[in-house]
Amino acid sequence: MTGDPGLAGLGLAGRRALVTGAGSDGIGRAAALALARAGARVAVHHLDQPEAAAALAERCGGVALQADFAVPGAAAALVRDAAVALGGLDILVGNAAMLLRKPLSETTEEEFARVQAVNLAAPFALAREAAALMRAGGAGGRIVLVSSVNQWMPNPGLVAYGTSKAATGGLVRQLALELAADGITVNAVAPGTILTDINRARHDDADWVATKLSLIPANRLGQPGDVAGAILFLASDLSAYVTGTTVTVDGGLSLMGS
Ligand code: NAD
């Protein structure tokens, strides 16, 4: 994909990015396309979607790389592989996550630990490896993690997932503090309800859609591109002085009841 000259001000031309969880039709894919449109080359990580990831990587001037974040060491190895393929790394978008919808009474320690491994330990390892490469490169960098409004809004049946997302907010603040002097910013985006593969089974459920809409002041569900816009800003030169924060992208959902 040729970079859009209208997006030159973002400073993303020629930047090297890794986006995780981009093999599905969701926020990762939209973020990869947005970065490529702004001129970045993007390594596309996937779990088990080799064809979709390869096709996306071709559009984004990068490579497709597989990794299962439930496997210890896989996230760190992925960053190193991406940097070898791209010749370095300027931007990390840690987007992949697993959703476990189960009440507390039915959630086992193993399930809880698996969710923390994929949603929290993997982004930690991704960020640590990316930061080491960015420091060595000497030109700073951008780390953006995808959290959730569950970071602040608990939901019944999401004890493992909600805990992992709450911890993501803390991780971002810790990393931001440690990396600020190196010109590496670390931020998160917190999506509300976005129509993606993660909730695709419910897209045709009129009751689910109506309930969600009744909670969203903007009166529409979110699209992956809504979140990609915030990621693009946090990955760009425009956000050079923004670090340690979480940008909510939820159409006002989290304002309800406040
Ligand atoms: P999605 O299903 O398209 O993306 C999730 C990705 O994570 C998938 O590509 C999946 O393959 C990958 N993944 C899952 N388990 C993995 C593992 N073990 N190892 C490696 N990769 C794994 O859904 P999405 O909505 O685009 O989700 C992207 C991010 O947005 C996630 O962090 C999710 O928690 C967050 N989010 C989504 C919503 C929403 O309403 N869609 C709301 C809040 C937060």
Side-chain angles (χ1 to χ4, degrees):
M1 189 184 291
T2 318
D4 178 342
L7 299 175
L10 296 174
L12 288 165
R15 294 274 161 84
R16 300 149 302 183
L18 167 63
V19 180
T20 69
S24 49
D25 192 6
I27 294 164
R29 176 183 166 80
L33 287 169
L35 288 165
R37 213 171 295 125
R41 286 189 297 129
V42 186
V44 173
H45 157 261
H46 71 97
L47 173 63
D48 52 10
Q49 305 96 339
E51 280 129 35
L56 181 62
E58 199 176 331
R59 288 180 68 183
C60 296
V63 286
L65 298 166
Q66 191 280 337
D68 181 350
F69 293 158
V71 177
L78 172 73
V79 175
R80 293 193 291 270
D81 291 348
V84 168
L86 298 174
L89 194 69
D90 306 298
I91 297 160
L92 166 69
V93 179
N95 164 74
M98 63 177 288
L99 181 67
L100 179 71
R101 200 177 286 283
K102 272 195 175 183
L104 172 65
S105 58
E106 293 171 22
T107 304
T108 67
E109 281 95 328
E110 289 75 18
E111 288 171 328
F112 187 86
R114 186 181 175 88
V115 174
Q116 308 318 311
V118 173
N119 295 5
L120 183 61
F124 153 75
L126 290 166
R128 187 194 58 205
E129 294 302 309
L133 288 161
M134 290 167 185
R135 271 178 165 153
R142 297 278 183 272
I143 296 174
V144 185
L145 301 183
V146 179
S147 173
S148 165
V149 290
N150 291 125
Q151 184 172 320
W152 307 284
M153 300 172 74
N155 249 348
L158 290 184
V159 62
Y161 177 85
T163 301
S164 74
K165 294 301 188 179
T168 300
L171 176 63
V172 158
R173 289 163 57 82
Q174 282 290 142
L175 295 173
L177 190 62
E178 282 207 33
L179 298 173
D182 295 299
I184 301 168
T185 67
V186 188
N187 294 286
V189 294
T193 302
I194 313 295
L195 293 166
T196 69
D197 278 357
I198 219 166
N199 48 31
R200 188 160 305 281
R202 297 172 129 173
H203 293 187
D204 295 328
D205 178 343
D207 289 342
W208 179 78
V209 172
T211 304
K212 289 291 179 188
L213 283 178
S214 72
L215 297 169
I216 301 172
N219 201 32
R220 70 172 176 87
L221 302 183
Q223 296 293 335
D226 291 318
V227 186
I231 293 172
L232 194 62
F233 165 68
L234 293 172
S236 77
D237 282 357
L238 299 184
S239 60
Y241 206 55
V242 179
T243 198
T245 196
T246 298
V247 176
T248 304
V249 187
D250 70 349
L253 165 71
S254 53
L255 301 173
M256 296 292 273
S258 63

